[in-house]
Amino acid sequence: MNRPAVPAPAEDLPSSPRRAPVQRRSRERVERMLTAAATLIAEGGSDAMRMSDVAEMAGVSIGSLYQYFPDKGAIIRTLAERYNAQGRACIAAALADVRDMDGLREAFAGLIDTYYAMFLAEPVMRDIWSGTQADKALRDIDLADSRANGAVLAEVLARLRPSADPAALATSAFLTMQLGEATVRLAISVDRAEGDALIAAFKRMVLRELCPDEERARGRSRAPDC
Amino acid sequence: MNRPAVPAPAEDLPSSPRRAPVQRRSRERVERMLTAAATLIAEGGSDAMRMSDVAEMAGVSIGSLYQYFPDKGAIIRTLAERYNAQGRACIAAALADVRDMDGLREAFAGLIDTYYAMFLAEPVMRDIWSGTQADKALRDIDLADSRANGAVLAEVLARLRPSADPAALATSAFLTMQLGEATVRLAISVDRAEGDALIAAFKRMVLRELCPDEERARGRSRAPDC
DNA sequence: CTCCTAATATGAGGATATCTCACATTTGCT
DNA sequence: AGCAAATGTGAGATATCCTCATATTAGGAG
């Protein structure tokens, strides 16, 4: 049994998989593991999720779990990265065809609503991002996600306000994305009425920041389906 | 050995201590435990802090640790609550004698700087709040803290802007406090230059939110010593 | 001073979870 | 068929939190 010097290049599992599944059989098993993990997290949270339970529910042995995920955190990170990729696509789509400040207002307010609704509806995301992350690697995933989204937003802003300093716009856009996440996390951890009020307050604050040229915002906005 | 029906009322340890220390001897031991825990967290983070290490460093047995703290999280929560109480006193002092909008601007900008500096300097706070709120109880402590601080801020705002809706001010103040914390957590997790830029961007955003009546802010601000 | 009770202190070991590893089985290819 | 690489297995090594039965100390009453 001579193992290769480098086990296998990571390709699909973002969290340094111990071994990449190459045959169809193992790819399907990995999917079953992730599905089982998501189900268990939805039921009782990621703390309550035990590796032995994941293995049993997925119909594999503990050993197989550790063939593809170096540790428990890696499963959670993989799920997180999948949800985040979804969110990034959603944000990029919503901001893609923004043409003016009013369009940005509408798109952004809609994005906040969409994110809020997603967190309310998805118990897995809710658990993983609730509070924050016990795991440094998870925080890095979160940061990278916000940076990517912030870059998209910054580009739109730069288009709409060519006179503004690009570096300042980038900082502002990154901060906006992080604070949006923080607000949504806060909103889902209090009762519904207060959560709604907090979301509304954040919208006011952030739209005033994004569009400082025009003084009084008006009008409502709608969420894009996503 | 007949134990009392109710062990003892919690008085100083906020996290449901198993037993309240009544004699001087035990009060001093509890302090030693907390000091040891803080030292260990500063060294390697709260995850790396082992209960056996805390006991050894404090010069007590494992059993004694569990006499006063029901679990590992309780030690961390006790430390967190102490730091928070310090922060609350600081915020209340800084906002106490605000008389006008300019004063609020200055006081608030100074508070943000102070918080930022505190987090940068205090490795224990940095670890405890650095995202790692794996513990629901810790999050609740954080929320209660922000609510208390938000109430102080809301009161000041109500004084300065009597015409505004009190409920809206309360929501806005609470959100402001939470987002301030989120910004500081973010700022300390990136490099210093970017952190400074993020803090500056947040100040701009939040001062525009707090003082919407006057259009352009000006001037710099100073931190109160605290 | 003595005695008694409540408070306090102790640490071996129970409980539970993650993760390893030596070995067994399956797949794909020639 | 035959072989090598990929994949699968689960008992148990390891680590940490926490319990509990027992021992020791403090402080007041007589």
Side-chain angles (χ1 to χ4, degrees):
Chain A
M1 176 173 285
N2 58 4
R3 73 190 59 160
V6 172
E11 45 160 297
D12 191 26
L13 293 316
S15 309
S16 62
R18 180 151 301 177
R19 160 181 276 169
V22 310
Q23 304 178 354
R24 182 156 49 100
R25 170 181 52 148
S26 52
R27 258 178 283 130
E28 288 168 352
R29 295 180 119 238
V30 168
E31 284 310 307
R32 285 215 307 279
M33 296 172 200
L34 288 169
T35 302
T39 305
L40 288 167
I41 290 173
E43 275 172 12
S46 47
D47 281 341
M49 174 191 98
R50 276 170 300 154
M51 294 299 266
S52 53
D53 288 343
V54 175
E56 190 186 20
M57 181 175 284
V60 304
S61 67
I62 286 270
S64 288
L65 224 48
Y66 284 91
Q67 291 264 348
Y68 300 101
F69 300 98
D71 52 37
K72 177 174 170 175
I75 297 185
I76 294 167
R77 288 193 294 275
T78 302
L79 288 172
E81 184 44 50
R82 287 192 176 187
Y83 280 111
N84 279 0
Q86 234 177 282
R88 280 196 301 276
C90 175
I91 288 176
L95 295 182
D97 44 30
V98 165
R99 292 282 166 262
D100 52 20
M101 276 297 174
D102 267 357
L104 179 60
R105 265 186 235 287
E106 242 183 75
F108 207 86
L111 271 179
I112 295 172
D113 289 332
T114 304
Y115 249 76
Y116 186 34
M118 268 172 63
F119 270 82
L120 279 176
E122 278 288 348
V124 178
M125 281 191 81
R126 207 172 154 155
D127 176 85
I128 291 179
W129 295 125
S130 115
T132 14
Q133 304 85 8
D135 186 355
K136 168 116 172 50
L138 242 187
R139 256 175 284 150
D140 289 341
I141 288 179
D142 186 30
L143 269 189
D145 189 59
S146 280
R147 284 194 193 283
N149 289 328
V152 172
L153 175 59
E155 202 186 338
V156 172
L157 286 174
R159 216 192 310 143
L160 297 183
R161 301 168 50 193
S163 61
D165 172 30
L169 285 186
T171 297
S172 180
F174 176 42
L175 182 63
T176 298
M177 288 295 172
Q178 278 283 124
L179 295 188
E181 270 187 40
T183 301
V184 169
R185 281 202 286 260
L186 172 62
I188 63 176
S189 70
V190 298
D191 69 56
R192 185 60 196 268
E194 190 179 17
D196 290 353
L198 288 165
I199 293 287
F202 179 70
K203 276 187 200 170
R204 254 185 291 116
M205 179 186 294
V206 77
L207 292 182
R208 196 177 282 137
E209 166 77 5
L210 292 181
C211 319
D213 303 330
E214 312 170 5
E215 287 314 343
R216 287 283 167 210
R218 54 216 135 93
R220 284 293 160 286
S221 46
R222 333 211 39 222
D225 59 344
C226 195
Chain B
M1 176 175 283
N2 58 4
R3 73 190 58 161
V6 172
E11 45 158 297
D12 192 27
L13 292 317
S15 309
S16 61
R18 179 151 304 178
R19 159 181 277 170
V22 310
Q23 304 177 354
R24 183 156 49 98
R25 170 180 53 148
S26 51
R27 258 179 282 130
E28 288 169 351
R29 294 179 120 238
V30 168
E31 284 310 308
R32 285 215 307 280
M33 296 173 199
L34 287 170
T35 303
T39 304
L40 289 167
I41 289 173
E43 275 172 11
S46 48
D47 280 341
M49 175 191 98
R50 275 169 300 150
M51 294 300 267
S52 54
D53 288 344
V54 175
E56 190 186 19
M57 181 176 284
V60 305
S61 67
I62 287 269
S64 290
L65 225 48
Y66 284 92
Q67 291 263 349
Y68 301 100
F69 300 98
D71 52 38
K72 177 174 171 176
I75 298 185
I76 294 167
R77 288 193 293 276
T78 302
L79 288 172
E81 184 45 51
R82 286 192 177 188
Y83 280 113
N84 280 0
Q86 233 177 283
R88 279 197 301 276
C90 175
I91 288 177
L95 295 182
D97 45 29
V98 164
R99 292 282 166 261
D100 53 19
M101 276 297 174
D102 267 357
L104 180 61
R105 267 186 235 285
E106 241 183 75
F108 207 86
L111 271 180
I112 296 172
D113 289 333
T114 303
Y115 249 75
Y116 185 33
M118 268 173 63
F119 270 82
L120 279 176
E122 279 288 347
V124 177
M125 279 192 82
R126 207 171 155 154
D127 177 84
I128 291 179
W129 293 126
S130 130
T132 215
Q133 305 167 3
D135 187 355
K136 169 116 171 51
L138 240 187
R139 257 174 283 150
D140 289 341
I141 287 179
D142 186 29
L143 269 189
D145 189 60
S146 280
R147 283 193 194 283
N149 289 328
V152 172
L153 176 58
E155 202 186 339
V156 173
L157 286 175
R159 215 191 311 143
L160 297 183
R161 300 168 50 192
S163 61
D165 171 30
L169 286 185
T171 297
S172 180
F174 176 43
L175 181 63
T176 298
M177 288 296 172
Q178 277 284 123
L179 294 189
E181 270 187 39
T183 301
V184 170
R185 280 203 285 261
L186 173 62
I188 62 176
S189 69
V190 298
D191 69 55
R192 184 61 196 267
E194 190 179 17
D196 290 353
L198 288 165
I199 293 288
F202 179 71
K203 276 187 200 168
R204 254 184 293 118
M205 179 185 294
V206 78
L207 292 182
R208 196 178 282 136
E209 166 77 6
L210 292 182
C211 321
D213 304 328
E214 312 170 5
E215 287 313 342
R216 288 281 167 212
R218 54 219 135 90
R220 285 293 161 287
S221 46
R222 333 212 38 221
D225 60 343
C226 197

